[in-house]
Structures are given as structure tokens and as C-alpha cells.
Amino acid sequence: MATGDLLRNEVRSGTELGHRAKAYMDRGELVPDTIMLELFRQRLEQPDCQHGVLLDGFPRTVAQAHELDRMLAELGRRMDHVLFLRVPESMLVRRLAGRLTCPSCGRTYHVELAAPRADSVCDVDGTALVQREDDRPETARHRITVYLEQTLPVLEHYREQDVVSDVDGTGSIEEVHERLLAAIAARCMAGEQR
Ligand code: AMP
């Protein structure tokens, strides 16, 4: 579940929530916790989340992390693994600023690192690709500042729970993919031995 995608769906569908969230997203700010938690709770209650969920982009504040702990405890569940991808800031800006997104299916590309087969057109549905408003270099840089101030403390929260794996996020998509799979496998094996 990617909370950014949930929000972009709300914006596309023209809902009241989407309208409120869009102003924050376009500026590269975080959407307020009250909105996020409501959206997240609704999604977590869907049947496809009952056997476990991979979270992308959530929690992004310590308040969200505390509330998530509470929600999971209520369901008799817990956070069992957090993957922290380490990437230098200059590389992050390059990756964000070169990203292209399909407005129809949400699939992402990169002008150099994962280019579409035909120039600027989605491989899946042929829709013209766009640059997300918040991927423009200036906004992307601001998102990184917001991340350092508001989201990085979340990492400490999970380090205290001893669930974090640090993964080198530099290199090709395939290399990072392999490292992520290895970190997940190592965690599963450690869990079985406990
Ligand atoms: P993403 O697609 O994960 O990069 O998210 C895009 C934007 O959606 C972020 O810059 C925020 O404005 C908003 N957003 C996504 N997830 C969250 C969250 N957990 N808390 C607050 N804002 C969020």
C-alpha cells in the first residue's frame, strides 16, 4: 500500500479529501496526520490487507508511527520489518527530477534509469507520461528537507523496536532489488530462529 498513490487516487476522483490534500502535496509538504490516518485506516480495513501489508510512504511522522502501533496492536499485529534505503541526497534529487509517471495507471519511469520503450509514453496503456508536480527539482529538494525534519525521527522509533534493516540504495534498480530481497530473507530466517 502506497499512501502517495491513495492520495493521488483521491485527487483524481475529485473527492473533498483529495481537494484538501492536493495543496499540501503540490508544495511538497506532508498532508496533515488527521487526514492521513483516516485514509490509512480505511485502506487497512480492506480484505486484501488481512494477511499482511507492505507499506510505502507510511508512517511519515512519529505521531503516525505511534498511531500505527496502536492500530496494529488492536488487530493483534505488529510492525515486523522496516527497510531503510540509504541514498545520497544529490542522487535522490536526480532520481526524483527524472521520474515520469503515467497519469492513467500510476506506473513510474525514469528518463535515464528506467526509460519507457516509446518516448514519453506508458508501456502498459500508451498514455502520455507526465512529471509529477512535486517531482520538479525545487519541490523535490523541499520534500527531502521535510523528510529529514519530520520522517527521519520515525527511523529511531523503529530502531528502538529492533526491526530496521539498513539497505544500500545506490546502484541500479536490479542491484537495489537484490539487496532488498536479501534483507527480507535474512529477517525471515532470523524470525524463524527466534
Ligand atoms: P509519495 O508518492 O510517497 O512521494 O507521496 C507524495 C506526497 O503525498 C507527499 O509528498 C505528501 O504530500 C503526501 N503523503 C504521502 N504519504 C504521506 C503520509 N504518510 N503522511 C503525510 N503526507 C503523505
Side-chain angles (χ1 to χ4, degrees):
M1 174 202 313
T3 43
D5 287 344
L6 292 183
L7 288 165
R8 282 183 288 277
N9 277 343
E10 296 286 326
V11 173
R12 250 198 314 274
S13 312
T15 66
E16 157 75 16
L17 190 153
H19 183 69
R20 275 156 63 206
K22 188 174 184 309
Y24 295 97
M25 295 166 76
D26 286 350
R27 287 198 304 270
E29 303 282 346
L30 291 184
V31 173
D33 288 340
T34 43
I35 299 183
M36 282 321 296
L37 286 164
E38 182 54 32
L39 189 68
F40 177 79
R41 190 176 294 115
Q42 281 172 18
R43 185 65 187 86
L44 190 66
E45 282 167 3
Q46 299 300 308
D48 62 343
C49 291
Q50 299 318 307
H51 299 292
V53 191
L54 177 64
L55 300 176
D56 170 2
F58 188 92
R60 253 164 152 122
T61 63
V62 172
Q64 289 179 12
H66 282 295
E67 189 55 23
L68 175 61
D69 284 350
R70 208 189 54 73
M71 275 188 239
L72 292 177
E74 246 177 48
L75 297 168
R77 287 156 65 173
R78 65 186 164 80
M79 178 67 77
D80 49 19
H81 198 187
V82 172
L83 295 158
F84 178 50
L85 279 164
R86 285 182 177 278
V87 183
E89 195 170 323
S90 57
M91 194 181 281
L92 277 182
V93 175
R94 216 182 106 220
R95 285 182 181 175
L96 291 171
R99 178 159 67 177
L100 295 172
T101 306
C102 174
S104 170
C105 71
R107 185 169 167 169
T108 54
Y109 299 84
H110 189 278
V111 283
E112 296 157 30
L113 309 169
R117 281 197 294 270
D119 203 19
S120 299
V121 168
C122 179
D123 292 353
V124 181
D125 53 33
T127 308
L129 301 174
V130 296
Q131 182 179 48
R132 264 169 50 179
E133 195 68 38
D134 59 347
D135 279 345
R136 294 173 198 278
E138 224 180 270
T139 317
R141 262 187 225 105
H142 182 59
R143 281 163 64 202
I144 293 170
T145 309
V146 169
Y147 170 83
L148 293 172
E149 283 170 6
Q150 300 189 52
T151 305
L152 203 56
V154 173
L155 190 62
E156 274 320 301
H157 177 83
Y158 288 117
R159 287 213 192 278
E160 283 163 18
Q161 296 183 14
D162 201 19
V163 290
V164 179
S165 294
D166 291 90
V167 178
D168 176 4
T170 63
S172 68
I173 293 173
E174 292 73 22
E175 283 166 333
V176 178
H177 183 219
E178 284 307 314
R179 286 183 209 127
L180 286 170
L181 292 181
I184 293 167
R187 181 83 201 174
C188 290
M189 275 175 63
E192 279 164 19
Q193 281 162 15
R194 258 183 227 149

Short mmCIF file of all heavy atoms in Angstrom, two decimals, residues 3-4 7-8 24-25 29-31 36 57-58 60 64 132 134 143, ligand 1:
data_model
loop_
_atom_site.label_atom_id
_atom_site.label_comp_id
_atom_site.label_asym_id
_atom_site.label_seq_id
_atom_site.Cartn_x
_atom_site.Cartn_y
_atom_site.Cartn_z
N THR A 3 0.81 5.22 0.32
CA THR A 3 -0.13 6.28 0.71
C THR A 3 -0.14 7.42 -0.31
O THR A 3 -1.16 8.07 -0.50
CB THR A 3 0.16 6.80 2.14
OG1 THR A 3 1.57 6.97 2.29
CG2 THR A 3 -0.37 5.87 3.18
N GLY A 4 0.99 7.65 -1.01
CA GLY A 4 1.01 8.67 -2.07
C GLY A 4 0.02 8.31 -3.16
O GLY A 4 -0.73 9.16 -3.67
N LEU A 7 -3.52 8.91 -2.04
CA LEU A 7 -3.85 10.34 -2.12
C LEU A 7 -4.10 10.77 -3.56
O LEU A 7 -5.05 11.49 -3.86
CB LEU A 7 -2.72 11.17 -1.51
CG LEU A 7 -2.60 11.12 0.01
CD1 LEU A 7 -1.25 11.67 0.45
CD2 LEU A 7 -3.73 11.90 0.67
N ARG A 8 -3.22 10.32 -4.47
CA ARG A 8 -3.38 10.72 -5.88
C ARG A 8 -4.70 10.19 -6.45
O ARG A 8 -5.34 10.85 -7.27
CB ARG A 8 -2.17 10.28 -6.72
CG ARG A 8 -0.96 11.22 -6.52
CD ARG A 8 0.21 10.85 -7.39
NE ARG A 8 0.85 9.62 -6.95
CZ ARG A 8 1.76 9.55 -5.98
NH1 ARG A 8 2.16 10.64 -5.35
NH2 ARG A 8 2.29 8.39 -5.62
N TYR A 24 -1.21 20.55 -0.18
CA TYR A 24 -0.01 20.15 0.57
C TYR A 24 0.95 19.40 -0.36
O TYR A 24 2.16 19.63 -0.36
CB TYR A 24 -0.37 19.25 1.75
CG TYR A 24 -1.20 19.92 2.80
CD1 TYR A 24 -2.58 19.79 2.82
CD2 TYR A 24 -0.60 20.69 3.80
CE1 TYR A 24 -3.35 20.41 3.81
CE2 TYR A 24 -1.36 21.31 4.79
CZ TYR A 24 -2.73 21.16 4.78
OH TYR A 24 -3.47 21.77 5.75
N MET A 25 0.39 18.47 -1.13
CA MET A 25 1.22 17.61 -1.99
C MET A 25 1.98 18.45 -3.02
O MET A 25 3.17 18.24 -3.24
CB MET A 25 0.35 16.56 -2.68
CG MET A 25 -0.27 15.58 -1.71
SD MET A 25 -1.58 14.64 -2.46
CE MET A 25 -0.66 13.47 -3.43
N GLU A 29 4.76 19.41 0.92
CA GLU A 29 4.57 19.31 2.37
C GLU A 29 3.86 18.00 2.69
O GLU A 29 3.25 17.40 1.81
CB GLU A 29 3.66 20.46 2.87
CG GLU A 29 4.15 21.85 2.55
CD GLU A 29 5.26 22.31 3.49
OE1 GLU A 29 5.46 21.66 4.53
OE2 GLU A 29 5.94 23.29 3.16
N LEU A 30 3.91 17.60 3.96
CA LEU A 30 3.16 16.43 4.35
C LEU A 30 1.69 16.79 4.54
O LEU A 30 1.36 17.88 4.99
CB LEU A 30 3.70 15.85 5.67
CG LEU A 30 5.09 15.23 5.61
CD1 LEU A 30 5.43 14.61 6.96
CD2 LEU A 30 5.20 14.18 4.51
N VAL A 31 0.82 15.86 4.17
CA VAL A 31 -0.61 16.02 4.39
C VAL A 31 -0.84 15.81 5.91
O VAL A 31 -0.20 14.95 6.51
CB VAL A 31 -1.37 14.97 3.54
CG1 VAL A 31 -2.85 14.95 3.85
CG2 VAL A 31 -1.12 15.23 2.05
N MET A 36 -4.39 11.74 6.96
CA MET A 36 -3.65 10.53 6.58
C MET A 36 -4.13 9.31 7.35
O MET A 36 -4.27 8.23 6.80
CB MET A 36 -2.14 10.71 6.87
CG MET A 36 -1.40 11.52 5.88
SD MET A 36 -1.86 11.28 4.19
CE MET A 36 -1.44 9.59 3.88
N GLY A 57 5.66 4.73 2.15
CA GLY A 57 5.31 6.13 2.40
C GLY A 57 4.50 6.35 3.66
O GLY A 57 3.96 7.44 3.87
N PHE A 58 4.41 5.36 4.50
CA PHE A 58 3.66 5.47 5.75
C PHE A 58 4.29 4.55 6.79
O PHE A 58 4.62 3.41 6.45
CB PHE A 58 2.20 5.06 5.53
CG PHE A 58 1.32 5.34 6.72
CD1 PHE A 58 0.63 6.54 6.84
CD2 PHE A 58 1.18 4.40 7.74
CE1 PHE A 58 -0.16 6.79 7.94
CE2 PHE A 58 0.39 4.65 8.83
CZ PHE A 58 -0.29 5.85 8.94
N ARG A 60 4.97 8.56 8.15
CA ARG A 60 5.93 9.60 7.78
C ARG A 60 6.15 10.61 8.90
O ARG A 60 6.91 11.54 8.73
CB ARG A 60 5.43 10.35 6.55
CG ARG A 60 6.22 10.01 5.27
CD ARG A 60 5.39 10.49 4.13
NE ARG A 60 6.08 10.87 2.95
CZ ARG A 60 5.84 10.29 1.76
NH1 ARG A 60 5.04 9.27 1.66
NH2 ARG A 60 6.43 10.75 0.69
N GLN A 64 2.20 9.49 13.41
CA GLN A 64 1.62 8.41 12.58
C GLN A 64 2.14 7.06 13.05
O GLN A 64 1.40 6.07 13.10
CB GLN A 64 1.95 8.61 11.10
CG GLN A 64 1.22 9.78 10.44
CD GLN A 64 1.61 9.96 8.97
OE1 GLN A 64 2.24 9.11 8.34
NE2 GLN A 64 1.21 11.09 8.41
N ARG A 132 5.39 14.53 -12.22
CA ARG A 132 4.55 14.92 -11.08
C ARG A 132 4.94 16.33 -10.65
O ARG A 132 6.11 16.66 -10.64
CB ARG A 132 4.79 13.95 -9.91
CG ARG A 132 3.79 12.83 -9.85
CD ARG A 132 4.19 11.76 -8.87
NE ARG A 132 4.56 12.23 -7.55
CZ ARG A 132 4.92 11.43 -6.54
NH1 ARG A 132 4.93 10.12 -6.73
NH2 ARG A 132 5.25 11.91 -5.38
N ASP A 134 5.15 17.55 -7.81
CA ASP A 134 6.09 17.57 -6.67
C ASP A 134 7.43 16.91 -7.01
O ASP A 134 8.29 16.78 -6.15
CB ASP A 134 5.47 16.95 -5.42
CG ASP A 134 5.02 15.51 -5.60
OD1 ASP A 134 4.94 15.04 -6.75
OD2 ASP A 134 4.75 14.84 -4.58
N ARG A 143 10.93 18.42 -0.43
CA ARG A 143 10.43 17.16 0.14
C ARG A 143 11.52 16.47 0.94
O ARG A 143 11.25 15.83 1.96
CB ARG A 143 9.92 16.23 -0.97
CG ARG A 143 8.53 16.63 -1.44
CD ARG A 143 8.20 16.02 -2.76
NE ARG A 143 8.12 14.58 -2.73
CZ ARG A 143 8.26 13.81 -3.81
NH1 ARG A 143 8.50 14.36 -4.99
NH2 ARG A 143 8.17 12.52 -3.72
P1 AMP B 1 4.86 9.81 -2.33
O1 AMP B 1 4.12 9.34 -3.53
O2 AMP B 1 5.03 8.75 -1.27
O3 AMP B 1 6.14 10.51 -2.67
O4 AMP B 1 3.93 10.92 -1.64
C1 AMP B 1 3.57 12.11 -2.34
C2 AMP B 1 3.03 13.15 -1.37
O5 AMP B 1 1.84 12.65 -0.73
C3 AMP B 1 3.95 13.52 -0.21
O6 AMP B 1 4.92 14.48 -0.58
C4 AMP B 1 2.94 14.06 0.80
O7 AMP B 1 2.48 15.34 0.43
C5 AMP B 1 1.77 13.09 0.62
N1 AMP B 1 1.91 11.90 1.52
C6 AMP B 1 2.06 10.59 1.16
N2 AMP B 1 2.11 9.79 2.24
C7 AMP B 1 2.01 10.61 3.32
C8 AMP B 1 2.00 10.41 4.73
N3 AMP B 1 2.15 9.17 5.27
N4 AMP B 1 1.86 11.49 5.54
C9 AMP B 1 1.72 12.73 5.04
N5 AMP B 1 1.72 13.01 3.72
C10 AMP B 1 1.86 11.96 2.86
#
